[in-house]
Amino acid sequence: MVELIPHEKFEGVYWIKDEEKVLATRNLVPGVQVYGEKLYRIRGEEYRSWIPYRSKLAAAIMKGMENMFIKPGSRVLYLGTATGTTSSHVSDIIGERGVLYGVEFAARVMIQFKRNVSDKRMNVTPIFGDARKPEAYAPIVGEVDVIYCDVAQPEQAKLFSDNARLMLRSGGHGYLAVKARSIDSVQEPEVIYKREVEVLEKNGLKPIEVISLEPYERDHVMVVLEYR
Ligand SMILES: C[S@@+](CC[C@H](N)C(=O)[O-])C[C@H]1O[C@@H](n2cnc3c(N)ncnc32)[C@H](O)[C@@H]1O
């Protein structure tokens, strides 16, 4: 029998015990898959498996992340949605009362994100824009509780800080997926990481947790931030 167990700490996140134990969220759009994830019907509700090899946030949870600030009702700015794998699960978690603004600058990817995610989910607003230019979309977004950033680009810390300054509420939180080698392929990952953290701290963003995403994502960490 398939068993549903609420996550021990995180509201809106579940474990499903089938042949194995998998992470899951409750599907806001029953019957709709986003990236080939498995759907489960349990006690009249539908759940979607959340695959840690496909989503860095799921990987961080699997690796024992302590701090989850994305919860029902949260306002989230998501930088680098791609086709919407992770953001669709964030949309499930924040539910009808929450809002997710998804920023993506690759046109083809944005078309797929719209078709698969934002056209079907009332709590998701797509923003076809460049996360390095937050002043273009800040007036639409307003203030958010959480910024999630996974753009795999150089100067992520600066980009994150610029978005935080315009839109993150004081006392709000951030998630920054850092792929050291995409920032600078010459320098050692350790040096690059330290440099990024210095930029964040200068901008009032304090790392409260750093989680290695191995073996789900090689050379990646998730940095959880608090905004002063
Ligand atoms: C690693 S993928 C994101 C995966 C996604 N977060 C997920 O877990 O489902 C990075 C994405 O960021 C986008 N991106 C990179 N730089 C960007 C920028 N400056 N503004 C907006 N999107 C950007 C890329 O086009 C790509 O789709």
Side-chain angles (χ1 to χ4, degrees):
M1 199 188 88
V2 181
E3 199 184 340
L4 178 76
I5 307 160
H7 188 277
E8 47 285 5
K9 286 201 291 196
F10 305 153
E11 212 184 329
V13 180
Y14 300 87
W15 296 109
I16 288 177
K17 261 196 187 162
D18 191 9
E19 279 132 45
E20 47 180 351
K21 191 173 160 187
V22 298
L23 205 60
T25 56
R26 188 159 65 83
N27 196 356
L28 199 62
V29 197
V32 177
Q33 276 170 306
V34 176
Y35 59 101
E37 71 281 19
K38 198 167 166 184
L39 302 180
Y40 298 85
R41 193 92 201 156
I42 305 170
R43 295 198 291 273
E45 300 276 12
E46 190 173 279
Y47 296 83
R48 307 162 53 221
S49 64
W50 191 3
I51 305 170
Y53 288 99
R54 302 286 302 276
S55 166
K56 298 180 190 88
L57 186 55
I61 295 174
M62 292 298 286
K63 290 296 304 283
M65 183 172 76
E66 299 271 339
N67 296 283
M68 179 62 157
F69 299 102
I70 297 170
K71 48 183 82 159
S74 294
R75 292 176 57 81
V76 179
L77 172 63
Y78 193 117
L79 306 174
T81 56
T83 52
T85 301
T86 300
S87 58
S88 65
H89 287 286
V90 172
S91 157
D92 284 347
I93 295 169
I94 65 178
E96 283 98 356
R97 289 185 295 113
V99 188
L100 183 149
Y101 295 93
V103 180
E104 173 57 54
F105 76 169
R108 279 204 195 156
V109 174
M110 181 43 106
I111 290 169
Q112 224 179 315
F113 175 67
K114 271 191 91 258
R115 194 183 300 139
N116 294 348
V117 179
S118 63
D119 285 354
K120 299 196 166 82
R121 293 172 172 264
M122 298 310 288
N123 63 1
V124 176
T125 299
I127 296 176
F128 178 41
D130 187 338
R132 289 168 299 189
K133 297 177 182 151
E135 37 320 313
Y137 51 83
I140 303 166
V141 173
E143 198 172 66
V144 295
D145 304 306
V146 174
I147 298 180
Y148 184 97
C149 178
D150 179 19
V151 293
Q153 289 284 320
E155 298 198 26
Q156 289 188 101
K158 178 177 184 308
L159 177 156
F160 191 100
S161 305
D162 291 345
N163 279 269
R165 195 168 46 253
L166 292 176
M167 288 162 279
L168 189 56
R169 71 169 168 79
S170 145
H173 294 91
Y175 293 83
L176 179 60
V178 179
K179 185 184 177 192
R181 292 201 170 86
S182 75
I183 297 172
D184 186 330
S185 53
V186 182
Q187 295 230 42
E188 284 298 309
E190 188 69 4
V191 176
I192 296 155
Y193 174 71
K194 277 196 184 136
R195 205 175 59 200
E196 292 289 287
V197 168
E198 274 171 29
V199 174
L200 293 164
E201 286 186 331
K202 258 193 216 141
N203 285 285
L205 289 153
K206 185 174 160 244
I208 54 172
E209 198 180 348
V210 180
I211 305 118
S212 156
L213 303 184
E214 303 269 352
Y216 303 109
E217 290 278 350
R218 285 195 63 198
D219 301 325
H220 275 80
V221 293
M222 180 69 78
V223 187
V224 186
L225 299 155
E226 191 163 76
Y227 194 39
R228 294 290 158 93

